[in-house]
Amino acid sequence: MRKSILFCCALAAGLAVGCTHYEHPYLNPKLSVDKRVDDLISLLTPQEKIGLMMNGSISIDRLDIPAYNWWNEACHGICYDDVTVFPQVIALGATFDADQQYEIYTAVSDEARAVWNTTDHHVLGVNEPNGGIWHQGLSFWCPNVNIFRDPRWGRGQETPGEDPYLNAVMGTQTVKAMQGTDKKYFKLHSCAKHFAVHSGPEPLRHRFNASVSMRDLWETYLPAFKNIVTEGNVQEVMCAYQRYEGEPCCASDRLLQDILRNKWGFSGIVVSDCGAIGDFYNKNQHGTHEDAASASADAVLSGTDVECGTSYKSLTDAISRGLISEADIDVNVRRILKARFELGMFDPAENLPWASLGADVLSSPAHTALAAKAAREAIVLLKNEGGILPLRKDGITIAVVGPNADDARVILGNYNGYPTAANTQTVLGAIRAAAPDATILYERACDLNESAITTHYIGRINGGKGLHAEYFGNTGFEGAAAASTDYDSALVLNTTSPALAHEDCAWIEGLPLSGFSARYTGSFTADYTGEMVYTVRGSGTYKFSVNGKTVAEQAEVPAGRFFFRRGAAPTTFPVVKGKTYEIDIELTQPEARSSSFSFDLFSRRPVDFAGVVERIRPADVIVMVSGISSDIEGEGHDRASIELPEVQQQLLAALDATGKPVVLVNVSGSAIGFGNVESRYDALVQAWYGGQACGSAVADVLFGDYNPAGRLPVTFYASTEQLPDFEDYNMDGRTYRYFKGEPLYAFGYGLSYTTFAYGDAKVQGKPAAMTLTVPVTNTGSRDGEEVVQVYVRSLDNPDAPIKSLKGFKRVRIAAGATEDVTVALSPDAFEFYSEAVDGLALRPGRYELLYGASSREADLKAVPVQI
């Protein structure tokens, strides 16, 4: 170990004053980052370097370096409890509000720094790559700017939409806000994902080879990433699971070296998607490499610095076999260490500009108001036949029907944190609150995609408190409980470190990783006679008893580990109406590994649409809250078709048959094909997964307290039949840029409670700095917002898209007023793929600048330009 060094901060009267003692130069914040990195890397052994290259970076106790986990999520708010949950990213895309995007992710980064400031991160003694504290770090794996090329893709909800320019603008604003503007430190690290050519199918991603033309690569799949790297200065990029040109993306020299680092000058960290390196050598997946050592060496040499996973442990073997050298590894480790210094991890907390951010920032009034504003801006009014909307608030009976009407979980989307109860309101709750003088009738009617209606009972146990839980620091239920709590919803527990529960699961303070036991107890009274359904499963041993009789058990610890995002296989036991049932579950987790447990209790009964119709007969208007959820679309699972689930189509038909006006409020993260039911509703409101304020935003629009102005960031096709083969990555026939059919609702489309007229535009400037100014008049009787959109169409390039968005601006215009709206065109507005430059290049020729309210030809006016 090096000798201690004394650094002096100032000299006075020839004597050193204000001196600070540092064990090593790398600890001195006054030295340059490069010098600090040089010093620290010289102190590390090869094994320690490798230990820093996995997402769960080990602690290095002899140098007092704590463990750190690079894996943190902030898709639309940090994944944490009692935080602000903003609308899902696809909904933020629908706002077409770039300034607000920056404001939102500034709030998100404030909350992330607040969590960091209030957490003890000095975790030592973690010498396996599973350490560090998950979801409390400074590196966040967002934004996702993959092109939402097909509405069946489950993860499209995490993106701003189907357009390269919109994704570039919203993604870059996200990165800039997350990373901050300080000249010395990054506020956070943002990570653009998934690089590149990635958008499903989800079940195939670990073995799929995406094949695209160079034109589609450069004109569609890469622009958002390029902008985020060159304009946003993003500090991390995540390579995708699938193969490109036959090579796994995390070992693609074209993607990671030629394009990312050489052409774009990226000098930051490349992170693998989780388990992606394992796909290299798994024969049932990509199977392109012989073993973990060869796969890991190839990934590192291609530029993948941090692996999400543990395959990089094999780099020790790779070095001994001559597959890679320690000097090669130093290149990657240097980038990793530089990042940690620039995030201020080794400096006194008070030195950082965000030191004062504390717990009061989480879900603050300002952030709560911003989430509400964003949720309102995201709502898209797609149909309003006969001006049925807005609704009256008094002297009216409103029937609120549908599976998403009173679901507080569905509006949060996926990759989400959890808001406070006070800041969360369902659509039903918001309608009741907004119209206290109206009569509100409610019927859930059915589940999302099954001809049944499910009622959960855990929240009814113990007088509404839920199951009572006791945790013991041993496997024998001995002594006093180490912790206890009540659950008012389905019980889902997953521990992944000694101090952390899974993002979708309950938080158990102080629960150990292993060697514990737990008991869950309670009673409920059945309100029907029939079969009660339960799901129970765990990674330890368990016994589930009802009235003292064992009905399910797992007596041996199974291999592996379980996750329960969508529950386990259901089983039943009989109940009799009016009879009380005592529930008892005993769980033990003896092994030193992550533990998982899932339990739910519910009834599932057939739908009764005739009964629903009869009970809502007094209604003047029906509001059906339809759609899907992140259990139907999400990571790992796509949709087979885009139509509204069949059971909801049946419900809609039953409601339409009443002859009452039907307002359809759709909750989803993707386009729904309403073509076969479009005649059955009078108004359509697309609410997305609007975050914690989704319910109140919907109510504000329904009752006219807010004039909607959201615009579709994706094409709403009429049906699945209009879509090409999902596995075909060719853009021909996809998105508004290449689709030649007639969509039901076009990209950029959205209605208002007022009307706007566009005057003749003026064009100024040259291609790299061109602006278009257009007078827009609010010709209606209400103040409103308009999203002015500018598209470019090439008249001389037969391979060019039909049209491409190249500028937009959301503006508020008072009733009767005219505003001159100036939209700056992006510098690459007239660039197309050039084989000669192996990338994008300006293409001279004749063009039209199309401007108006949507991508529909009927909504656009044209100005010819010569480039």
Side-chain angles (χ1 to χ4, degrees):
M1 184 175 292
R2 292 186 174 186
K3 294 180 179 179
S4 299
I5 299 175
L6 193 68
F7 292 95
C8 297
C9 303
L11 292 175
L15 298 176
V17 298
C19 297
T20 304
H21 180 82
Y22 296 107
E23 187 70 19
H24 299 285
Y26 81 84
L27 294 170
N28 181 9
K30 292 188 174 297
L31 294 181
S32 70
V33 169
D34 287 340
K35 288 183 178 179
R36 298 175 77 181
V37 171
D38 287 342
D39 179 62
L40 181 51
I41 205 168
S42 71
L43 301 174
L44 298 173
T45 68
Q47 290 73 27
E48 289 169 339
K49 293 173 183 177
I50 292 168
L52 296 175
M53 295 176 69
M54 287 163 275
N55 70 286
S57 295
I58 64 170
S59 67
I60 303 174
D61 298 8
R62 65 186 183 85
L63 296 175
D64 203 33
I65 297 175
Y68 178 71
N69 202 319
W70 291 90
W71 185 356
N72 302 282
E73 304 287 355
C75 183
H76 52 116
I78 60 173
C79 284
Y80 207 70
D81 287 337
D82 298 330
V83 295
T84 310
V85 180
F86 293 95
Q88 179 59 283
V89 180
I90 190 67
L92 296 179
T95 69
F96 279 76
D97 192 336
D99 292 338
Q100 180 177 256
Q101 188 84 352
Y102 186 90
E103 190 178 359
I104 285 171
Y105 284 93
T106 297
V108 171
S109 60
D110 280 350
E111 296 199 6
R113 268 288 174 179
V115 169
W116 174 267
N117 291 345
T118 54
T119 303
D120 180 10
H121 296 275
H122 202 73
V123 183
L124 297 177
V126 182
N127 293 310
E128 288 295 326
N130 61 358
I133 302 179
W134 194 26
H135 284 333
Q136 298 176 49
L138 295 175
S139 48
F140 288 85
W141 293 352
C142 68
N144 181 344
V145 290
N146 292 130
I147 295 300
F148 198 175
R149 66 183 177 92
D150 192 302
R152 289 168 290 195
W153 183 38
R155 298 191 69 178
Q157 62 180 288
E158 301 168 31
T159 78
E162 70 182 32
D163 181 73
Y165 176 74
L166 181 62
N167 280 21
V169 170
M170 303 303 265
T172 300
Q173 290 291 82
T174 299
V175 169
K176 288 182 175 179
M178 294 280 281
Q179 296 186 165
T181 58
D182 189 76
K183 294 181 179 180
K184 182 175 182 180
Y185 298 106
F186 284 103
K187 188 177 185 182
L188 304 174
H189 264 201
S190 190
C191 179
K193 64 184 185 184
H194 309 81
F195 191 67
V197 200
H198 176 77
S199 53
E202 284 291 299
L204 303 182
R205 59 185 177 166
H206 300 285
R207 60 183 185 273
F208 185 73
N209 182 58
S211 177
V212 300
S213 69
M214 295 304 290
R215 182 175 302 281
D216 284 342
L217 176 71
W218 285 98
E219 294 183 9
T220 297
Y221 292 109
L222 292 185
F225 286 101
K226 179 183 178 182
N227 205 74
I228 284 174
V229 170
T230 60
E231 299 296 325
N233 191 31
V234 72
Q235 291 301 293
E236 296 181 27
V237 171
M238 177 181 286
C239 46
Y241 280 119
Q242 83 285 342
R243 282 172 289 144
Y244 169 69
E245 297 182 324
E247 291 184 321
C249 287
C250 292
S252 169
D253 287 340
R254 182 191 290 276
L255 292 177
L256 301 185
Q257 293 295 332
D258 178 43
I259 295 175
L260 183 61
R261 296 204 186 274
N262 296 336
K263 283 186 168 64
W264 297 347
F266 179 71
S267 59
I269 292 174
V270 172
V271 182
S272 84
D273 209 336
C274 295
I277 308 304
D279 291 347
F280 290 21
Y281 57 91
N282 187 318
K283 302 308 177 185
N284 294 321
Q285 294 166 348
H286 292 316
T288 53
H289 291 68
E290 179 183 355
D291 53 24
S294 60
S296 298
D298 195 9
V300 171
L301 292 171
S302 296
T304 302
D305 304 299
V306 173
E307 181 212 5
C308 182
T310 58
S311 293
Y312 274 11
K313 288 190 294 184
S314 67
L315 285 171
T316 301
D317 181 37
I319 292 174
S320 67
R321 290 164 54 185
L323 300 175
I324 195 170
S325 69
E326 184 178 354
D328 292 326
I329 287 175
D330 284 351
V331 173
N332 305 68
V333 175
R334 185 174 296 276
R335 288 192 285 255
I336 292 169
L337 295 178
K338 180 174 181 287
R340 294 184 70 167
F341 281 117
E342 290 179 339
L343 285 165
M345 292 185 187
F346 297 103
D347 294 356
E350 60 271 17
N351 287 11
L352 276 66
W354 312 281
S356 63
L357 295 175
D360 59 331
V361 170
L362 305 181
S363 198
S364 68
H367 293 179
T368 299
L370 182 58
K373 178 175 179 288
R376 289 192 295 268
E377 285 197 10
I379 289 179
V380 187
L381 179 61
L382 293 172
K383 183 178 180 180
N384 192 19
E385 197 167 288
I388 184 176
L389 295 178
L391 302 174
R392 303 195 317 271
K393 288 187 178 181
D394 55 9
I396 188 174
T397 298
I398 303 171
V400 181
V401 182
N404 278 336
D406 198 31
D407 191 329
R409 177 62 186 86
V410 69
I411 58 178
L412 303 182
N414 74 347
Y415 276 89
N416 60 282
Y418 289 91
T420 63
N423 287 336
T424 309
Q425 198 171 39
T426 66
V427 173
L428 173 64
I431 289 174
R432 284 172 169 162
D437 295 327
T439 300
I440 308 298
L441 309 175
Y442 169 62
E443 292 285 337
R444 187 166 186 269
C446 65
D447 288 352
L448 285 173
N449 61 349
E450 295 183 37
S451 294
I453 182 165
T454 299
T455 303
H456 293 271
Y457 280 81
I458 288 185
R460 304 183 182 190
I461 291 174
N462 290 335
K465 295 180 180 179
L467 282 166
H468 180 68
E470 298 175 285
Y471 298 93
F472 302 85
N474 55 73
T475 59
F477 307 93
E478 299 170 354
S484 63
T485 186
D486 291 322
Y487 292 88
D488 60 4
S489 61
L491 175 64
V492 186
L493 173 68
N494 182 293
T495 61
T496 53
S497 79
L500 185 70
H502 191 269
E503 61 175 315
D504 282 343
C505 309
W507 181 274
I508 308 301
E509 193 70 41
L511 184 66
L513 181 65
S514 62
F516 71 89
S517 55
R519 179 180 291 118
Y520 309 97
T521 57
S523 63
F524 73 96
T525 301
D527 60 354
Y528 72 101
T529 296
E531 295 294 316
M532 180 66 72
V533 188
Y534 67 90
T535 60
V536 55
R537 195 176 179 190
S539 60
T541 68
Y542 62 78
K543 182 172 69 172
F544 168 45
S545 303
V546 178
N547 289 344
K549 180 181 178 181
T550 301
V551 295
E553 64 180 327
Q554 180 170 277
E556 298 181 1
V557 180
R561 142 176 119 175
F562 300 95
F563 291 90
F564 298 101
R565 291 189 176 182
R566 293 185 295 278
T571 317
T572 65
F573 63 90
V575 294
V576 176
K577 184 175 182 179
K579 185 176 179 180
T580 298
Y581 295 85
E582 300 289 337
I583 298 293
D584 185 278
I585 306 167
E586 292 187 343
L587 166 72
T588 64
Q589 180 62 51
E591 292 194 0
R593 66 174 187 209
S594 300
S595 60
S596 302
F597 182 70
S598 171
F599 178 79
D600 199 2
L601 190 68
F602 53 94
S603 67
R604 182 175 289 159
R605 300 176 233 183
V607 297
D608 177 18
F609 293 153
V612 169
V613 167
E614 181 61 30
R615 290 189 292 273
I616 66 169
R617 191 169 298 281
D620 299 301
V621 62
I622 300 169
V623 176
M624 175 175 164
V625 188
S626 67
I628 50 181
S629 75
S630 57
D631 286 332
I632 293 175
E633 57 176 348
E635 182 166 8
H637 46 115
D638 305 310
R639 290 185 291 157
S641 64
I642 65 172
E643 280 72 23
L644 197 66
E646 178 63 29
V647 67
Q648 294 186 56
Q649 292 187 41
Q650 295 170 7
L651 172 61
L652 181 58
L655 299 179
D656 177 50
T658 66
K660 306 291 178 69
V662 176
V663 177
L664 194 63
V665 175
N666 190 67
V667 177
S668 69
S670 57
I672 301 294
F674 290 111
N676 62 337
V677 296
E678 198 271 342
S679 63
R680 297 193 182 279
Y681 52 82
D682 300 278
L684 175 59
V685 174
Q686 177 65 27
W688 312 104
Y689 302 129
Q692 65 185 46
C694 183
S696 59
V698 168
D700 286 344
V701 168
L702 291 179
F703 294 112
D705 295 321
Y706 181 78
N707 189 356
R711 301 293 184 262
L712 289 181
V714 290
T715 301
F716 269 48
Y717 303 93
S719 69
T720 308
E721 292 180 356
Q722 291 185 319
L723 302 176
D725 180 359
F726 190 10
E727 296 182 27
D728 185 357
Y729 268 71
N730 188 320
M731 287 305 297
D732 186 37
R734 295 191 181 279
T735 77
Y736 79 96
R737 295 169 68 234
Y738 295 97
F739 178 59
K740 296 177 182 178
E742 187 67 31
L744 188 61
Y745 303 110
F747 175 90
Y749 180 75
L751 300 174
S752 170
Y753 293 149
T754 189
T755 54
F756 297 93
Y758 284 70
D760 294 332
K762 294 181 180 180
V763 180
Q764 292 179 306
K766 296 182 178 180
M770 185 176 287
T771 61
L772 183 145
T773 301
V774 54
V776 182
T777 302
N778 183 339
T779 56
S781 58
R782 293 185 55 143
D783 296 348
E785 295 167 276
E786 174 71 337
V787 177
V788 179
Q789 302 162 45
V790 180
Y791 298 83
V792 168
R793 171 183 288 150
S794 173
L795 301 179
D796 296 330
N797 181 2
D799 295 322
I802 298 169
K803 62 176 80 74
S804 291
L805 182 72
K806 295 298 179 182
F808 61 85
K809 181 173 287 187
R810 183 169 180 140
V811 292
R812 183 171 183 81
I813 305 176
T818 298
E819 297 286 342
D820 287 333
V821 181
T822 298
V823 178
L825 270 67
S826 62
D828 64 352
F830 306 98
E831 290 184 351
F832 297 87
Y833 172 68
S834 168
E835 186 176 357
V837 302
D838 190 27
L840 298 177
L842 181 69
R843 183 180 178 115
R846 297 176 302 130
Y847 291 87
E848 285 182 332
L849 299 184
L850 308 172
Y851 61 94
S854 84
S855 67
R856 295 194 315 171
E857 292 293 323
D859 290 336
L860 295 170
K861 300 179 73 172
V863 177
V865 293
Q866 181 76 37
I867 302 301

